[in-house]
Amino acid sequence: MAETKRDYYEVLGVGKDADDAAIKKAYRVLAKKYHPDMNPGDAEAEKKFKEASEAYAVLSDADKRRQYDQFGHAAFEGGAGGAGGFGGFDFNSADFGDIFGDIFGDLFGGGGRRGGRANNGPMKGANIRKSIRITFEEAVFGCEKELDLVLKDPCTTCNGTGAKPGTSPETCPKCGGKGQVVFTSQSFFGTVQNVQTCPNCGGSGKVIKEKCSSCAGTGYTSSRKKIQVSIPAGIDNGQSVRIREKGEPGINGGPRGDLLVEVNVSRHPIFQRQDVHIFSTVSISFAQAALGGDVKVPTVDGDVIYTVKPGTKTDTKVRLKGKGVPSLRNSSVRGDHYVTLVIQTPDKLSAEAKEALRKFDLLAGNSLNQATPEDEKGKKKKGFMDKVKEAFEE
Ligand SMILES: [Zn+2]
Ligand SMILES: [Zn+2]
């Protein structure tokens, strides 16, 4: 009848002396590789998955493992002598649900309900995602925000059961309270079993005959709540703040999910940010550039006075140490603020100012560089304005 069964240890690829952790680890690897969800329509993978699951069901159970070690597969062949205690391995047995709950809970990252996982044990509620917009300065220095949120709470009338007071939810007749059902189908390789969430109770294992009128049988009521959100100094655009247990209520006594608040930082009219550093541009006059002098430089800490050195060229970069953004990890450490000094070429000049500039040019030893008839060879001497122009055209 049955084809020759492979040794369970061989199936999982572990030694006879493997401990529980090693067996579980080996099964997780195989289950992930061959799980029907990962290999839709692949009968061979499904067979391997079933084989590994069967091996795991036996080797992860101390009693069954002892029987298997003593009698081999015969231990589970009903009436074939051996231990005779529990007959053939049965995918419909209660053990199977436990295996799924145990393995697949973490295999699929927790909180998931894939693969018909029995979910009538305590489970963490789902996370809620929200976003808020804050200013550039609020991101730099941190801020407190209030979020207006509709949150679910377990219904107080029915204590979250969803059943009318005085009644209680009944065990689902379709799945017998397990929250999952096993579908059997025949394939070339034999009988294939799929475990799925019970369609009758949605996986809760319970059905409600008379619904609670306060929550219409959902077990939850919703209300608007104000949640305080502390945005840490140094947060950047797109980062999220996690507020524990302000998400969806837990299931069957599990903890609430978390609230994840994504932060969107508005652009600043003069500051740009890169990691912990701030960048900006400050205009200085030609006279300030030539003679030096104090200029006002806006920073996130307010204006600071920077002394421009005489003979400063346009596009000179200045570092204001520690005037940048605090580090998220350690707010006492701050980045720097880089200022680019740009010389403004005057374009609206009074006659008086023009005269002063011409005078300056002469005094500085420059010609006005006007094309005159004497400039026959077109030889050009570079004047001051050309130099300024060049500086800008670089
Ligand atoms: Zn209720
Ligand atoms: Zn059910």
Side-chain angles (χ1 to χ4, degrees), residues 89-378:
F89 178 80
D90 181 10
F91 262 76
N92 295 298
S93 75
D95 305 324
F96 199 60
D98 294 342
I99 296 161
F100 267 79
D102 189 24
I103 287 283
F104 287 87
D106 43 312
L107 185 62
F108 290 121
R113 295 192 193 180
R114 289 186 66 178
R117 178 191 168 193
N119 57 2
N120 40 14
M123 279 200 347
K124 190 180 174 184
N127 292 339
I128 296 178
R129 286 168 200 278
K130 290 281 162 192
S131 63
I132 55 166
R133 182 160 286 281
I134 61 173
T135 66
F136 187 93
E137 284 90 348
E138 284 174 331
V140 171
F141 294 114
C143 58
E144 295 290 322
K145 289 279 160 181
E146 200 175 68
L147 214 57
D148 216 2
L149 210 64
V150 174
L151 276 186
K152 279 187 196 166
D153 277 310
C155 171
T156 50
T157 308
C158 62
N159 288 319
T161 64
K164 190 178 164 185
T167 72
S168 52
E170 290 170 21
T171 302
C172 171
K174 188 164 174 74
C175 63
K178 286 159 59 60
Q180 58 186 22
V181 283
V182 179
F183 292 97
T184 306
S185 59
Q186 298 299 320
S187 81
F188 181 74
F189 296 102
T191 306
V192 173
Q193 271 127 339
N194 290 309
V195 181
Q196 290 184 4
T197 300
C198 172
N200 191 44
C201 61
S204 67
K206 294 207 159 61
V207 285
I208 295 160
K209 281 261 169 66
E210 287 184 84
K211 289 177 178 171
C212 164
S213 55
S214 303
C215 62
T218 60
Y220 300 110
T221 52
S222 295
S223 60
R224 200 162 271 284
K225 294 220 170 66
K226 291 191 188 306
I227 308 284
Q228 299 299 319
V229 187
S230 281
I231 309 290
I235 198 152
D236 211 344
N237 190 41
Q239 291 180 313
S240 291
V241 175
R242 179 186 294 264
I243 300 156
R244 300 216 178 265
E245 302 202 6
K246 293 288 181 198
E248 299 282 8
I251 294 155
N252 294 318
R256 290 191 82 106
D258 299 333
L259 171 62
L260 299 168
V261 183
E262 191 191 77
V263 173
N264 297 311
V265 182
S266 294
R267 291 173 75 92
H268 193 276
I270 53 174
F271 300 139
Q272 275 109 51
R273 175 174 170 182
Q274 210 176 334
D275 300 326
V276 291
H277 302 303
I278 293 173
F279 298 84
S280 68
T281 297
V282 165
S283 297
I284 57 173
S285 72
F286 163 69
Q288 283 172 319
L291 305 173
D294 290 348
V295 291
K296 232 180 7 183
V297 176
T299 74
V300 288
D301 295 318
D303 290 347
V304 299
I305 302 299
Y306 178 76
T307 304
V308 175
K309 289 186 194 78
T312 292
K313 299 201 167 36
T314 198
D315 277 343
T316 295
K317 290 185 175 52
V318 168
R319 184 169 76 137
L320 303 176
K321 210 169 179 307
K323 293 285 182 196
V325 181
S327 155
L328 253 188
R329 278 181 220 95
N330 179 2
S331 62
S332 63
V333 177
R334 285 179 66 176
D336 302 325
H337 184 154
Y338 292 89
V339 179
T340 303
L341 300 173
V342 174
I343 299 172
Q344 288 297 298
T345 304
D347 54 359
K348 282 177 196 136
L349 291 172
S350 64
E352 206 178 340
K354 282 179 186 167
E355 192 45 46
L357 269 180
R358 284 194 193 98
K359 205 166 166 190
F360 158 77
D361 217 19
L362 285 171
L363 289 170
N366 300 320
S367 83
L368 273 175
N369 196 23
Q370 288 160 334
T372 60
E374 298 90 72
D375 257 339
E376 37 198 346
K377 286 174 189 166

